[in-house]
Amino acid sequence: MRRRLIVGNWKMHKTASEAAAFVHRLAELAPAVGATGSTERVEVVLAPPFTALHAAAQAAAPSFPFTLAAQNLFWEEHGAFTGEVSAPMLKDLGCQAVILGHSERRQLFGDRDEGINKKIRAALRHGLRPILCVGESLADREAGLTESVVTGQLAKCLDSLSADDLLKLTIAYEPVWAIGTGRAATVAQAAAVHETLRTVLATGWKREAGQQVRILYGGSVTPENAGAFLASPQIDGALIGGACLDPHSFATILALAQALPA
Ligand code: 13P
């Protein structure tokens, strides 16, 4: 069984002091709604903005462990790249994972599959676990292109990676039309795409990759619908935007994940 994974992508929200307050509050609140700090069955990942990573790490309590993730990186280690942040810099701050290829980066900041591939390699070289996002636009879905778009993104972003590399990766399926819209995919729509992605991993790399890589769903996940997504055997967890910013709603989702049978 793959361990469930709940990722909070804070996007461009919370200052460093707000991040510290959030982490303290989450650790206080979580047991009250039934979430434990145990990471045995559910891994919790928090992805604050760069400027709040250190504060979030400092605020962590031993009773409520989480994995710290960044939301992006640049593939070079250092140099004249104004405004960019490298994998060794993130690693030194205590990050263990990094979200790459988010659709907001693709749409607003020009991230392309080839560059995302370089970012994944840089992350792996420095011991950061990549969380790779893929997903189709509404126009793609309406044109019946969902499968070809997401498998195309997967193939290009994972080009030349070894099967062992793949085992360190997490994939997040985030349909662009479901992000921040309140219009989540149905469990069946998400499960169908997850199955396709898993088949590509197993046939393009090796069977273990298809079996072991965790595939998350993201797009308007809330405390109301999270239980249904997480109960699907195809869905190993959730990548959460809006609903992760409030400690109560995030803790509620964690509790739902922990209450499910293994
Ligand atoms: P929402 O949960 O706000 O739809 O955002 C999803 C997302 O983009 C997480 O990366």
Side-chain angles (χ1 to χ4, degrees), residues 143-186:
L145 296 174
T146 299
E147 260 197 28
S148 64
V149 167
V150 297
T151 58
Q153 290 171 339
L154 197 70
K156 286 190 196 146
C157 292
L158 302 185
D159 184 40
S160 308
L161 294 189
S162 70
D164 284 347
D165 287 338
L166 241 68
L167 298 180
K168 297 174 194 131
L169 215 92
T170 298
I171 313 282
Y173 168 54
E174 294 208 314
V176 178
W177 47 271
I179 295 177
T181 58
R183 183 186 161 194
T186 63

Side-chain angles (χ1 to χ4, degrees), residues 49-143:
F50 290 136
T51 47
L53 285 166
H54 181 67
Q58 293 292 305
S63 62
F64 200 84
F66 59 86
T67 298
L68 189 66
Q71 298 173 19
N72 186 30
L73 56 68
F74 186 56
W75 57 76
E76 295 289 347
E77 288 181 17
H78 48 77
F81 304 105
T82 302
E84 294 297 322
V85 171
S86 71
M89 292 170 182
L90 296 173
K91 187 77 186 166
D92 185 58
L93 269 182
C95 286
Q96 294 156 273
V98 57
I99 298 172
L100 293 171
H102 192 280
S103 68
E104 286 150 17
R105 301 259 2 133
R106 294 173 187 260
Q107 286 184 321
L108 303 171
F109 304 102
D111 282 19
R112 297 277 169 271
D113 292 326
E114 295 69 20
I116 296 164
N117 176 267
K118 290 189 192 177
K119 292 181 178 192
I120 292 174
R121 291 161 179 285
L124 290 169
R125 270 199 307 278
H126 293 280
L128 293 169
R129 289 155 38 204
I131 301 169
L132 167 66
C133 304
V134 297
E136 82 287 3
S137 67
L138 188 58
D140 294 333
R141 177 160 281 269
E142 287 175 349

